[in-house]
Amino acid sequence: DGNWASHIFIELHPDILSKLKEFTSELEDEQIKPVESPHVSISKMFILKHHWIDNFFKMLSATVFFEMFNLEISPSIAFLSNENKSRHFACILLEESCKSHLQSLVNNIDKSLKEFQLPTYYEESIFHISVLWKLTEFSDEEKSEISTRIKSLMSRDSQLFTNVVDKLI
């Protein structure tokens, strides 16, 4: 009671979400599930106490200097796990050209998080969009099929996979 699970992320354009949903529905089975709302996380999940919320957002708005930029999605795939290895994810990586914008946002968000003694972003930033998840690690066969399908999807609609970032959520 009075604690709010929170995180900061970049929302994807509806056209991209539609294509990803179409793609993930083709691969869904008893074990592999689509990520409900694919996005680009720029913070870890953290818990805000109710009485911190106003001060946290004031500090955040004072430290995060946001400029609109293009978020470019690459055809590269990574298979990542959460920190306690209880979930495993198939992820589409972002182009290197976005990394400086994203890292700058993360660094500024981390300043606010540190002030409230909240967890900061991962030491090694791997900016990505998680699209599928499962409770066990992906097999080599699953990794190969997912990678092939993502690369095929992106080669057919490459111009679709640029997202103009104009706000953080």
Side-chain angles (χ1 to χ4, degrees):
D1 224 11
N3 293 324
W4 296 87
S6 308
H7 77 289
I8 302 166
F9 62 90
I10 296 170
E11 211 171 42
L12 298 175
H13 189 278
D15 291 344
I16 296 172
L17 290 173
S18 172
K19 278 290 180 193
L20 291 176
K21 187 172 189 152
E22 180 184 314
F23 159 75
T24 57
S25 68
E26 294 171 8
L27 293 170
E28 183 177 2
D29 66 20
E30 288 180 19
Q31 293 185 359
I32 299 174
K33 303 294 178 195
V35 170
E36 288 292 318
S37 299
H39 58 270
V40 178
S41 292
I42 51 177
S43 79
K44 286 184 183 177
M45 186 71 71
F46 55 91
I47 303 296
L48 271 181
K49 296 182 185 290
H50 181 72
H51 63 278
W52 290 353
I53 293 173
D54 288 339
N55 288 336
F56 179 77
F57 282 102
K58 283 178 190 168
M59 179 175 286
L60 197 60
S61 61
T63 58
V64 176
F65 303 103
F66 182 77
E67 292 180 13
M68 203 163 57
F69 67 97
N70 284 337
L71 187 70
E72 296 179 34
I73 301 168
S74 90
S76 300
I77 313 308
F79 293 88
L80 305 171
S81 301
N82 63 1
E83 287 180 301
N84 64 7
K85 307 283 189 231
S86 63
R87 284 199 187 194
H88 305 273
F89 298 90
C91 307
I92 302 173
L93 299 177
L94 301 178
E95 292 288 355
E96 278 295 311
S97 59
C98 309
K99 190 169 182 171
S100 63
H101 286 286
L102 294 167
Q103 192 61 58
S104 177
L105 286 170
V106 165
N107 293 343
N108 289 323
I109 290 165
D110 280 354
K111 289 176 189 173
S112 295
L113 291 168
K114 285 177 188 175
E115 286 293 320
F116 287 82
Q117 298 177 345
L118 296 168
T120 57
Y121 200 66
Y122 304 95
E123 203 168 302
E124 182 186 350
S125 300
I126 302 173
F127 297 109
H128 64 278
I129 301 164
S130 298
V131 292
L132 297 164
W133 68 272
K134 64 184 285 195
L135 296 175
T136 58
E137 290 191 33
F138 287 89
S139 69
D140 289 341
E141 184 179 297
E142 290 168 331
K143 287 179 180 180
S144 177
E145 181 180 357
I146 290 166
S147 297
T148 300
R149 287 191 179 205
I150 287 175
K151 288 175 183 176
S152 173
L153 169 71
M154 293 187 70
S155 68
R156 287 191 313 259
D157 294 313
S158 61
Q159 76 282 359
L160 174 67
F161 290 95
T162 297
N163 193 84
V164 176
V165 178
D166 57 3
K167 66 180 176 180
L168 305 177
I169 297 179

